[in-house]
Amino acid sequence: MKMLPLVALIACSSLLHGCALFGYYKLPKAERASPEEAAKVTFPDSMEQGTHLDGPAMAALEVAMNDFLPPDAKAEARTEELARCLSQRSTYDVTVLKHDDQLYFVSFLPRLSRCGIELDAPIMDAGATYAIDGHGRILSEL
């Protein structure tokens, strides 16, 4: 009888790794630079020239990104090098177009040159464009 709680605990903990199969992803905490590196940073006086996303646009971007390239996703490609490149979020240029308060278009376009890859012919099916509503729902994708 004393073994039953231990067996139940082990059985339950073995199922936790399968949570990703159900769409649950725990994002790792962001890495922080050392205090020495942080001390070298000088913030701008204004963010006016930056790219501005309102809250709903940012939510639309997050929904589209998590569907297009979920955390820990592994892309399939003709070579291992290309698959690694396509699996990195930093490979993609992203465009968010606000149609109105209830409709956003989010487009992902890979830039393989960021991985040092130059292909003779472009990859035609590596990106995507999403239509996201103001409630964060995917309406459609190309």
Side-chain angles (χ1 to χ4, degrees):
M1 239 2 182
K2 291 182 180 184
M3 293 295 288
L4 186 58
L6 179 61
V7 171
L9 178 65
I10 291 171
C12 289
S13 66
S14 68
L15 294 175
L16 292 177
H17 296 288
C19 290
L21 298 175
F22 302 114
Y24 173 77
Y25 300 99
K26 184 174 181 183
L27 296 176
K29 191 172 180 177
E31 182 181 343
R32 296 283 181 168
S34 68
E36 295 78 24
E37 287 179 278
K40 296 176 186 176
V41 174
T42 303
F43 282 89
D45 292 332
S46 170
M47 298 289 284
E48 194 172 315
Q49 297 301 315
T51 302
H52 300 274
L53 296 177
D54 60 21
M58 186 59 215
L61 172 59
E62 182 178 26
V63 166
M65 178 58 84
N66 286 335
D67 186 74
F68 177 67
L69 193 58
D72 299 327
K74 304 292 182 224
E76 294 182 19
R78 57 183 174 237
T79 67
E80 181 62 32
E81 179 186 29
L82 185 56
R84 265 193 317 275
C85 183
L86 292 173
S87 296
Q88 298 174 31
R89 289 182 169 194
S90 60
T91 297
Y92 297 89
D93 283 349
V94 181
T95 302
V96 178
L97 174 65
K98 180 178 180 177
H99 182 266
D100 57 41
D101 286 339
Q102 291 302 312
L103 182 60
Y104 296 82
F105 295 98
V106 181
S107 175
F108 300 98
L109 183 64
R111 297 286 180 219
L112 301 177
S113 59
R114 291 193 181 119
C115 302
I117 297 175
E118 298 296 333
L119 300 177
D120 294 332
I123 299 176
M124 301 305 289
D125 61 348
T129 300
Y130 288 83
I132 310 288
D133 72 6
H135 301 288
R137 298 177 305 157
I138 298 172
L139 301 175
S140 186
E141 79 177 272
L142 295 174

